[in-house]
Amino acid sequence: MDPTWLVLIALALGLVIGAGFVGLFHLAERRGASAARVVSPTVPDGVDQVLDALESAGIVIDPSNNVLKASPGALAMGLVWNGNLVHSELVDIAGDVRRSGESVTQDISLGRGPFGGDALLQLHVRIARLGTRFIMILAEDRTEAHRLDEVRRDFVANISHELKTPIASVSLLAEALDQAADEPPMVRRFAHRLSSESSRLARITSEIIELSRLQAHDALRPDELIDVDDIVAAAVDQNRIVAEARGIEVAVKAKSKAQIYGDPALLLVAVNNLVSNAVSYSNDNSRVGIGVTCDEGIVEIAVIDQGIGIVEDDLERIFERFYRVDQARSRNTGGSGLGLSIVKHTVQNHGGEVRAWSRPGRGSTFVIRLPEAPQLPADEPATDPLRSTTDDSRDRLSASSPLPARASIPGDTP
């Protein structure tokens, strides 16, 4: 055969083989890109910007129910935690939408946060497909509307229950002042009592209004990132003068760098109430310890005192409105019985819970547990918080008895 034809045939065969290899390479590249999209799904263009602009909750999940994107409202409501949906109800509805392809709109009640407490979210949710693979969840919080009637009834009951006593006292003292007009010592005595009762009346009124506001409004509006260490420091500063006057040492270990979503003013009121109670019910020249720790997405604020303690029967009711362990002591310290109820509602509105342990004569421990502000993979990596609460106070969280051996307080010596 002519050598020229051999060369041409060889070139043609080389072109065919080369083209085949190029085709196989492009096919493998397309399959690799497809596999990469399955392994690392991305949210469609524009959805990120829409979710960031939403005031309500917005969530995008992949076929495995992993959260790819969540709006600040969804994080603040506690619908997302550690990159997953917290509530199985939302997962079930998303599964129905994925199978049927039809969007679903309904009202549901969900527990706020990962702790499964008594606080409920009343949500109006709409769940629909986003493209062929993703599911979008939109949730509007209607909790306030559902609470309104209950709050009105509670407010009337609170007023009639608690205000009648100081109002009657003010009336009687006014009559006594009139009758003792010619006796200056008695006038001064009754005027002092009248001033005390009016102050008590103002304080109770303020606390009732605060409690009603907590029950009527979502405490997480606006959605703010709160530095828990700063809240604890502010609460301690508000009580330091009273503590120093009685020789009570306030030891603080709050370097967790933990953050949560919520209302800083309301959270400060809750922590301040616990610190104030610890100082008020502690013996002179004793010690009060406050510590903050963050572990596995849970922020804990522990307040430990060496005071009079609480018996077990009373411990079960201390978070009820107007409940006082010691009526005489409460009058002396100015307590209204609303402080711990305010703490409970504030913490629940932040998606957390509050626990208490005590032993008469050895002191009490109160622990606020809150979900840490979630960080999705797309966000800036969070720093590893320092553990600063004492080990003994940590042990109290898992102890089955009402109170194990007295918890050590930061700075305490055996």
Side-chain angles (χ1 to χ4, degrees), residues 133-149:
R133 304 181 59 247
F134 305 116
I135 296 292
M136 173 174 280
I137 302 172
L138 300 176
E140 179 184 353
D141 188 1
R142 295 185 177 179
T143 306
E144 181 179 346
H146 286 266
R147 290 179 181 176
L148 186 58
D149 290 338

Side-chain angles (χ1 to χ4, degrees), residues 204-281:
I204 292 174
T205 303
S206 175
E207 290 184 345
I208 289 176
I209 292 173
E210 181 68 23
L211 183 59
S212 299
R213 187 167 76 91
L214 283 172
Q215 293 177 295
H217 296 282
D218 186 353
L220 302 182
R221 294 293 182 263
D223 304 325
E224 295 184 32
L225 271 177
I226 304 173
D227 190 315
V228 178
D229 296 339
D230 290 345
I231 294 294
V232 171
V236 170
D237 286 342
Q238 291 180 5
N239 293 275
R240 194 177 296 280
I241 294 178
V242 175
E244 290 177 351
R246 296 178 53 201
I248 298 174
E249 178 187 353
V250 179
V252 185
K253 285 191 176 181
K255 297 181 181 178
S256 66
K257 300 182 181 179
Q259 292 183 318
I260 67 167
Y261 278 105
D263 187 321
L266 291 179
L267 190 62
L268 176 58
V269 169
V271 177
N272 176 68
N273 284 350
L274 290 186
V275 177
S276 176
N277 280 355
V279 172
S280 297
Y281 288 92

Side-chain angles (χ1 to χ4, degrees), residues 12 41 48 68 79 89 94 97 177 179 191 255 312 343 380 385-386:
D48 284 359
L68 302 181
L79 302 181
E89 296 89 339
V97 171
L177 274 173
Q179 295 175 3
K255 297 181 181 178
E312 186 175 355
V343 173
E380 228 176 330
L386 302 176

Side-chain angles (χ1 to χ4, degrees), residues 15 47 63 81 103 105 110 118 125 167 182 196 220 230 273 279 283 346 362 372 409 414:
L15 289 174
V47 175
W81 199 41
S103 61
T105 302
L110 302 174
D118 296 331
V125 301
I167 289 174
D182 298 330
S196 298
L220 302 182
D230 290 345
N273 284 350
V279 172
N283 301 317
T346 299
R362 301 190 63 181
E372 186 183 13
I409 297 174

Side-chain angles (χ1 to χ4, degrees), residues 191-203:
H192 178 73
R193 290 285 306 278
L194 187 61
S195 177
S196 298
E197 290 296 331
S198 63
S199 298
R200 180 186 175 198
L201 185 61
R203 183 171 57 254

Side-chain angles (χ1 to χ4, degrees), residues 43-44 47 50-52 54-75 77-81 83-98 102-108 110 121 123-131 133-141:
V43 177
V47 175
V50 172
L51 291 182
D52 289 337
L54 282 179
E55 292 186 2
S56 57
I59 304 169
V60 176
I61 60 176
D62 65 12
S64 299
N65 293 323
N66 297 314
V67 175
L68 302 181
K69 181 67 179 179
S71 69
L75 300 177
M77 289 181 194
L79 302 181
V80 176
W81 199 41
N84 295 294
L85 291 175
V86 173
H87 304 91
S88 59
E89 296 89 339
L90 293 178
V91 175
D92 294 340
I93 299 175
D96 294 338
V97 171
R98 190 176 287 111
E102 298 180 358
S103 61
V104 172
T105 302
Q106 68 180 67
D107 296 321
I108 58 176
L110 302 174
L121 286 171
L123 299 181
H124 180 73
V125 301
R126 179 175 178 81
I127 302 180
R129 279 184 170 274
L130 182 64
R133 304 181 59 247
F134 305 116
I135 296 292
M136 173 174 280
I137 302 172
L138 300 176
E140 179 184 353
D141 188 1

